[in-house]
Every structure is written in C-alpha cells, then in structure tokens.
Amino acid sequence: MKKIKTAIIGAAGYTGGELLRLLIHHPACELIYVHSNSQKGKKVTKVHPDLIGETELVFTDEVQTEGIDAVFLGLPHGQTKGFLEKHAFPKDTVIIDLSTDFRDESHGFTYGLPEVNKEKIKSAKKIANPGCFATGIQLALAPAVAAGWTKDSIHITGITGSTGAGKALSETTHFSYRTNNISVYKLFNHQHLKEIGQTFRQINADFQQELLFVPYRGNFTRGIWITAYFPFEGELEEAINRYQAFYQEAPFTWVSERDIDLKQAVNTNKCLLHLKKEKGNLVVYAAIDNLLKGASGQAVQNFNLTFGLEERLGLNLKSIAF
C-alpha cells in the first residue's frame, strides 16, 4: 500500500495525542513530522506517555509544506486561518482542520460529517472536522430532521467528559472541581449550535426549529452522552426503521434496539443510538467518544474517504466496555 505522507500541526493536546495514536499504526499513513511550538525538541513520548514503545518521533516547531500529502490541523480555535495565511500548502495537499474556523464551509472547506456529506468529502481537499457535541447531536437527530418530523422546538441535553475542555488547566477542569460534581455551561448558546443548524437546513430546507440545548460538564474524562426529544405522532417501529435506513451505509453509526451506555462508545469511532417513544415524544439517546468520533477518529475517517481508502481503515477499535 502506498504511504500517504502526513503531518500533524498542533499535536501536543488531547486530540493531537489521539491523532498520533491512530496514525502511527495506520497502514496507509507515513508521519513525516509532528508540530508543536510549546513542545519543540521533545520526544513525542515525553508529552504522550501512552505512546511509549510506539514511536521515536520528536516534536518540531518548523512547518514543512512541500512533499506533504495530508496535514491535520489541531490548533486552538481562531488560529487556523492565520496559520494557513502564513504557511501555504500546495493545492493538492489535503487539509483536515479540527478547529471551529471553517465549519461554515468558507474558504473552500467541506463540512466533514461523513453520515451526511460523504460524497462531498470524497472529492474534497479541505475538510472542516465537526465539533464533538455537534457530532453527537446531529447524528441523534439527522434522520428525524430529514423526514420532517421535528415540527416544534427540540429539547437536548448533553454531558461531556473533562477532556472536551482541552489539556490546558482551568478552574472547571481541575479534579477538585469535576469530581463528585456536575454543572451547566453555555445554556441554549453553545457554539456548536451554529454548525448543527447549518447541517439541518442542508438536509431539510424548511428546518427552522429552535434547538434548546443544555450542556453539562461531567465528572468523567472521556465521552459524550446526548438525550434529545421532540413530539412525534408515529410509531417507534417506524422511527427505528427510518434511522436504520438513514445510517445503512454508515459503518460507525449504529441503532441499537437495546439500551446503550457511554462505555460502549468510549475508545471507538462509533456513534451508538437508541430510540424510545414516551408520552408522545420520540426520545433519542446518542453516545460517542468526544476525542474519537467527536474529533480525531472522525478526522481519520475523513482522511480515509478523501484518499479513497476503506472507511474503517485504522479505526477498528474496541470499546473499554467495563
């Protein structure tokens, strides 16, 4: 198999570490360099000790643009535009950005949600990877939105692990704050709502319902749990059939007829869904790993699609489960 010459920019954080874990063992990938301004000169394993014995790569603060087939950008939100203005990659280089900067599909970027945009992603050279909450919410609701079932405000709650806040410490990511605790933030105003609405209007031009989203900080490290519900006049069997048909060609999104739990999805690139009909509402549960299907795993899934590789390549991961 021909190796795809690949670089990671901003590889010192959680998503960068997960990209490294996946790409080091990806059979079609050759990591040419990994970039970090803050960790330059250090061995990757000094920053990501889970990779001891897996790699001898060293972080560099130099940016090589020529001879690179694909580059993953893991820079802080708001910094990618400036980086690409300063460092111009050849037009044939595939750019996969994990920040919020291009999720509005500006500057020639394609929104990288494979379950909705697979055909566009296959021919894209610039891909904007979705946000973690956005991924879980969109996959929980996309079949219903496409079918026109969401006629009223949609109620959504979501709880995320502490890794969703990034590696830099803050008051709400300290162990003493998170442990035995739960809190709400960005009530009805989360930044991911913008990209969610964009996708829903793409699959249903008439969509204009409010998304009433309550995000919670959870007292665990990895994973996102979504509960969404809306009035639904149909039968549960109809909804399950609709969801299964919608995701028939999606190798990582599965509709379970049994109750699900978060650990089934953690350490995988899966989105697990479960549907219930209660008191006139369709209730949808969704579980993903925020660092994989919500970030680095989905980025590698997009990498596979745009290079014509098998979609699951390098992503056959088992959940921790217990």
Side-chain angles (χ1 to χ4, degrees):
M1 181 180 292
K2 181 182 177 181
K3 298 287 187 177
I4 299 163
K5 297 183 184 303
T6 305
I8 305 173
I9 306 294
Y14 291 136
T15 56
E18 288 298 87
L19 275 174
L20 281 162
R21 179 168 74 98
L22 296 172
L23 294 176
I24 283 169
H25 298 292
H26 194 292
C29 177
E30 179 186 357
L31 273 175
I32 302 300
Y33 70 92
V34 289
H35 172 278
S36 171
N37 287 323
S38 63
Q39 306 298 332
K40 62 182 179 181
K42 292 183 181 180
K43 284 187 174 182
V44 162
T45 52
K46 289 285 187 181
V47 179
H48 300 296
D50 56 306
L51 297 177
I52 289 174
E54 309 293 326
T55 181
E56 295 299 321
L57 284 166
V58 175
F59 286 111
T60 180
D61 63 345
E62 297 182 4
V63 178
Q64 174 188 335
T65 57
E66 297 296 327
I68 301 298
D69 301 315
V71 59
F72 292 85
L73 302 178
L75 296 167
H77 302 309
Q79 294 187 17
T80 306
K81 287 182 180 179
F83 174 85
L84 290 177
E85 289 171 0
K86 184 177 180 180
H87 303 284
F89 286 84
K91 63 179 182 179
D92 288 334
T93 301
V94 171
I95 299 172
I96 301 174
D97 178 35
L98 281 78
S99 80
T100 61
D101 291 26
F102 302 107
R103 291 176 186 163
D104 60 357
E105 297 197 308
S106 61
H107 297 81
F109 275 77
T110 294
Y111 188 65
L113 187 67
E115 289 79 2
V116 172
N117 284 337
K118 183 178 291 189
E119 294 309 311
K120 288 173 64 178
I121 293 165
K122 286 180 179 179
S123 59
K125 292 295 184 183
K126 297 178 179 180
I127 299 167
N129 218 56
C132 51
F133 265 137
T135 296
I137 292 170
Q138 287 172 109
L139 296 180
L141 291 168
V145 170
W149 293 344
T150 52
K151 302 182 186 302
D152 299 299
S153 297
I154 304 171
H155 294 262
I156 308 163
T157 59
I159 184 166
T160 183
S162 58
T163 54
K167 203 169 185 179
L169 288 176
S170 68
E171 180 182 352
T172 58
T173 59
H174 278 284
F175 176 81
S176 56
Y177 180 91
R178 287 270 181 162
T179 190
N180 299 320
N181 198 13
I182 190 167
S183 59
V184 173
Y185 69 110
K186 298 179 181 177
L187 177 67
F188 294 172
N189 195 35
H190 196 280
Q191 67 272 16
H192 289 178
L193 291 173
K194 186 175 181 180
E195 63 188 275
I196 295 168
Q198 174 183 275
T199 296
F200 288 173
R201 287 187 294 273
Q202 175 187 334
I203 61 178
N204 185 338
D206 295 326
F207 180 83
Q208 53 184 335
Q209 284 68 38
E210 279 193 304
L211 299 170
L212 301 176
F213 176 40
V214 184
Y216 293 90
R217 301 180 184 96
N219 63 345
F220 51 92
T221 56
R222 292 178 73 133
I224 282 177
W225 179 273
I226 298 294
T227 302
Y229 62 92
F230 55 88
F232 179 62
E233 296 177 356
E235 299 297 327
L236 178 60
E237 184 179 2
E238 175 190 0
I240 291 172
N241 289 340
R242 172 72 184 181
Y243 271 67
Q244 288 177 335
F246 192 93
Y247 293 121
Q248 187 174 1
E249 303 300 324
F252 293 107
T253 301
W254 295 92
V255 182
S256 171
E257 296 193 17
R258 297 177 56 182
D259 273 319
I260 59 173
D261 61 75
L262 187 58
K263 282 188 177 181
Q264 290 175 271
V266 171
N267 197 48
T268 78
N269 197 52
K270 293 178 184 177
C271 175
L272 298 179
L273 302 171
H274 180 64
L275 281 62
K276 292 180 180 292
K277 176 79 183 286
E278 295 288 346
K279 296 186 177 180
N281 286 274
L282 185 65
V283 183
V284 186
Y285 302 145
I288 65 169
D289 186 315
N290 59 294
L291 295 180
L292 289 171
K293 185 58 173 166
S296 302
Q298 187 152 242
V300 173
Q301 185 179 354
N302 285 323
F303 170 89
N304 289 341
L305 286 170
T306 195
F307 282 101
L309 303 170
E310 202 280 316
E311 197 169 346
R312 296 183 62 93
L313 196 65
L315 291 169
N316 289 301
L317 306 169
K318 183 193 176 298
S319 69
I320 60 173
F322 46 81

